[in-house]
Amino acid sequence: MKLEELGKAVYVSESLIRAWEKGRRMPQPDHLVRLEEVLGTNGYLSRVVNDLVSGTVPFEWMGKWLEIERQATSLLTYEPLVIPGLLQAEPYARALLRFSKQTPVDMEEQVSARLARQSILSGEDPPAFVAVIDEAVLHRPIGGPDVMQEQLLHVIDLAERTDIVIQVIPFDVGEYAGLAGAFVIASMDGREFTYLDNAMSGEVIESADGVAAVKRTWEALRGDALPKRASIDLIQKATKKWT
């Protein structure tokens, strides 16, 4: 069957079928039932989905959050210390992960996993992506001058895209709400989820009250951040420091 034909049979769009095939989205239970009926797979697809969800233990953003991130229609991320993972160039990611206390083999797998996550920004239907970072991120010498210059040029290239917004909170703002720590807000299937990072692990927040509290912080951060073009200009200025 062609994608369009299967989509009509299952009552979903062709683009959603394509997203299932590429692993960008996960079929919901009612979709799986209809797929099994149309394709005559007798529960095979449901078992495959269950095996993938329960058997995969990714290095990056363990368990549930990785699936949320992959299916998200929008991602709002704030990072006061380093370049967000989805925007990291390989040398920068490797320099950061050197301190993860993994074996060299594990570290290479972690680098590969982090870079693989970034494919969600280059797919056929990427999420709307907004990142707010502290100006200090541009000046922290991760990996040395060459690594920093390459990383900031990479960020500038991404920031020029129409579906990606990168904003910087400048030093002269002083203290502000986001200094408590990094977070990500994801929208998926009409729901919102938040990921909070800490030194030991990460926490996925699903409650409406919890997500609303983080969103209030997010709105305050956007108010303190420079607009998109002014942020790009500031990043370009910081890049010259690493020449």
Side-chain angles (χ1 to χ4, degrees):
M1 300 177 71
K2 295 181 179 179
L3 294 179
E4 181 180 4
E5 295 171 339
L6 182 57
K8 289 181 178 178
V10 184
Y11 312 121
V12 299
S13 66
E14 179 181 342
S15 62
L16 183 55
I17 297 288
R18 187 177 291 110
W20 290 343
E21 287 190 331
K22 293 181 176 296
R24 279 275 290 111
R25 302 288 297 273
M26 186 70 73
Q28 297 300 308
D30 55 336
H31 292 148
L32 279 172
V33 171
R34 184 63 180 159
L35 284 168
E36 302 279 14
E37 293 174 352
V38 172
L39 300 176
T41 45
N42 298 318
Y44 179 77
L45 291 179
S46 298
R47 291 194 296 274
V48 169
V49 170
N50 289 334
D51 288 345
L52 286 174
V53 172
S54 62
T56 302
V57 183
F59 281 97
E60 280 291 312
W61 301 41
M62 299 296 287
K64 190 172 188 177
W65 182 257
L66 186 63
E67 186 58 39
I68 293 172
E69 183 183 68
R70 187 162 51 220
Q71 297 187 47
T73 54
S74 73
L75 290 168
L76 313 176
T77 182
Y78 165 68
E79 178 56 72
L81 298 176
V82 296
I83 298 294
L86 291 179
L87 303 179
Q88 290 176 9
E90 181 175 351
Y92 186 94
R94 179 170 282 104
L96 283 176
L97 291 170
R98 282 175 51 211
F99 299 96
S100 64
K101 297 183 180 180
Q102 302 287 338
T103 67
V105 173
D106 289 340
M107 189 188 75
E108 289 306 309
E109 292 184 6
Q110 283 192 306
V111 172
S112 297
R114 179 161 299 186
L115 298 179
R117 280 177 49 217
Q118 298 175 3
S119 65
I120 67 174
L121 297 182
S122 56
E124 296 181 358
D125 185 24
F129 183 83
V130 182
V132 174
I133 60 176
D134 191 287
E135 185 178 354
V137 173
L138 309 178
H139 301 282
R140 181 165 289 106
I142 305 296
D146 291 342
V147 170
M148 285 301 300
Q149 185 181 48
E150 178 181 349
Q151 176 61 68
L152 295 188
L153 289 173
H154 179 63
V155 168
I156 292 170
D157 287 343
L158 292 172
E160 295 288 356
R161 287 174 41 176
T162 58
D163 58 340
I164 292 178
V165 176
I166 300 173
Q167 296 180 262
V168 180
I169 297 179
F171 283 135
D172 57 17
V173 168
E175 67 277 5
Y176 62 93
L179 293 176
F183 61 81
V184 184
I185 302 171
S187 297
M188 181 186 73
D189 295 332
R191 298 184 60 194
E192 290 185 315
F193 305 84
T194 294
Y195 182 90
L196 300 179
D197 209 358
N198 60 56
M200 298 300 295
S201 61
E203 178 185 4
V204 177
I205 296 177
E206 302 182 54
S207 70
D209 289 344
V211 173
V214 178
K215 287 203 73 173
R216 285 194 292 271
T217 300
W218 171 258
E219 294 301 329
L221 294 174
R222 294 294 301 275
D224 287 330
L226 296 173
K228 176 173 179 171
R229 178 47 54 183
S231 294
I232 293 175
D233 291 343
L234 185 60
I235 298 170
Q236 289 174 328
K237 181 179 178 180
T239 302
K240 296 177 182 179
K241 167 184 176 179
W242 300 112
T243 302

